Amino acid sequence: MLPLLAYLLVYTWNVQTGALDRLAAWTGLEAVGWVLVPGQWVEQRSTQMWQRYVYLMDVQRDNERLRARVDSLRLENLALERRARATERLRRLLQMPARPEWRLTGARVIGHRQGPNGLLRTLIIDVGSAEGAREDLPVLTPQGGVGRVSRVSPHFSTVLLLHDPNSRIAVISDTTRTSGILVGQGAGSSLDVKYIPQNEPLKKGELLVTSGLAGIFPKGIPLARVRSVVHSELSLFQNVVAQPLLNPHRLEEVLLLHQRTAVPGQPSDNATAAADVS
């Protein structure tokens, strides 16, 4: 009975004052607020994190695009540098003067070959018989001689280098005019200069050029430089060691030297040159 009476009193008081309604509204709002505030915070944080993620992804994509561009520019720069170096090498090749009785053909080095015994050394070039190549053609660069053509196919040839033991070239000293035979001693070795008598003058550092006596190389092509000269009473000849002027590993383009031939019924190049001089 007392609880019912207390309820009726409270109900009547609330009807007259509205205090309980205001309290319930305030309490409910407070409860709703405490529920909404963490959710709002979570939403804001999630939105910020997503925006930051999207921003970072955009930055990462921009960085990747920039890195790809930088890599592309580096490759392009390297290609331009290689092209510039190749152009300079070709310019030097084209500026090399040829004697009237000889003509030049350019060739690109496409491979290096070394024999199974570690001694044979050759270059492979992209000029063959279809372009006029033939065995024993001299091969050189503006800096000096490289060797001679040893084998020929329709579109490719191999070049026997100065280092090869089968290479023998008649040479003469550029200063003392002492003559000998330049002989290869294998890959990575120096060159021997054979058959120089003990009484012939020859000094360290002298330049050795082709003598033109064998008929394969024209006279005056630089090949090697004297590295040492040893006299011995036990031999008729001096022991002379020379260093080649060129490193075949670094060659990318070479020149083939063709001797001009006279056309039947027409004067030869030598005869024309002699007539011009006279």
Side-chain angles (χ1 to χ4, degrees):
M1 192 66 180
L2 288 177
L4 178 60
L5 181 60
Y7 170 76
L8 290 174
L9 290 174
V10 171
Y11 177 79
T12 303
W13 175 71
N14 180 60
V15 170
Q16 293 176 354
T17 62
L20 291 178
D21 291 338
R22 290 193 298 273
L23 178 61
W26 180 84
T27 305
L29 180 61
E30 187 71 11
V32 170
W34 280 109
V35 171
L36 293 178
V37 166
Q40 187 71 19
W41 181 83
V42 171
E43 180 184 2
Q44 291 177 354
R45 295 294 296 177
S46 300
T47 302
Q48 291 175 357
M49 291 178 64
W50 174 255
Q51 291 175 348
R52 188 176 293 110
Y53 171 76
V54 172
Y55 173 76
L56 292 177
M57 288 298 296
D58 290 339
V59 171
Q60 183 178 1
R61 283 194 291 267
D62 291 341
N63 288 338
E64 290 176 353
R65 284 194 294 267
L66 290 174
R67 282 195 295 267
R69 180 58 178 164
V70 169
D71 292 340
S72 176
L73 290 175
R74 285 175 177 171
L75 292 175
E76 184 178 351
N77 188 44
L78 290 175
L80 291 174
E81 289 179 355
R82 288 195 298 268
R83 192 176 303 171
R85 289 193 294 268
T87 301
E88 178 62 21
R89 290 193 304 268
L90 293 175
R91 185 187 65 80
R92 290 196 298 267
L93 290 176
L94 293 175
Q95 287 182 344
M96 183 175 179
R99 294 172 175 81
E101 68 274 17
W102 298 85
R103 64 180 177 87
L104 299 171
T105 298
R108 188 178 301 276
V109 177
I110 61 173
H112 298 74
R113 224 171 70 179
Q114 182 169 319
N117 58 1
L119 295 177
L120 302 179
R121 290 295 302 274
T122 60
L123 296 179
I124 303 176
I125 58 177
D126 63 350
V127 172
S129 58
E131 294 81 22
R134 57 176 176 78
E135 292 183 3
D136 290 335
L137 280 184
V139 180
L140 63 153
T141 72
Q143 289 74 37
V146 175
R148 58 181 174 84
V149 175
S150 59
R151 288 195 302 172
V152 179
S153 69
H155 299 97
F156 304 97
S157 302
T158 58
V159 179
L160 188 72
L161 299 175
L162 301 180
H163 300 80
D164 195 284
N166 296 313
S167 174
R168 285 168 170 76
I169 302 174
V171 295
I172 187 172
S173 169
D174 194 40
T175 53
T176 60
R177 315 309 290 174
T178 299
S179 59
I181 303 295
L182 192 67
V183 180
Q185 297 298 312
S189 301
S190 301
L191 308 174
D192 279 353
V193 187
K194 302 288 188 181
Y195 311 121
I196 296 182
Q198 292 288 347
N199 58 348
E200 288 290 331
L202 190 64
K203 297 180 181 179
K204 178 181 178 180
E206 288 196 53
L207 182 66
L208 300 177
V209 300
T210 54
S211 65
L213 297 179
I216 295 178
F217 287 86
K219 188 175 182 179
I221 296 178
L223 295 181
R225 194 171 294 276
V226 176
R227 196 172 72 178
S228 65
V229 179
V230 178
H231 296 270
S232 173
E233 298 179 357
L234 303 178
S235 174
L236 297 176
F237 305 105
Q238 303 177 39
N239 183 12
V240 180
V241 176
Q243 188 68 29
L245 299 178
L246 298 173
N247 183 352
H249 286 295
R250 299 178 180 176
L251 296 178
E252 298 184 41
E253 298 90 15
V254 295
L255 292 168
L256 274 65
L257 207 53
H258 305 259
Q259 190 167 18
R260 301 181 188 271
T261 57
V263 178
Q266 296 183 3
S268 64
D269 293 332
N270 292 340
T272 302
D276 292 339
V277 173
S278 61

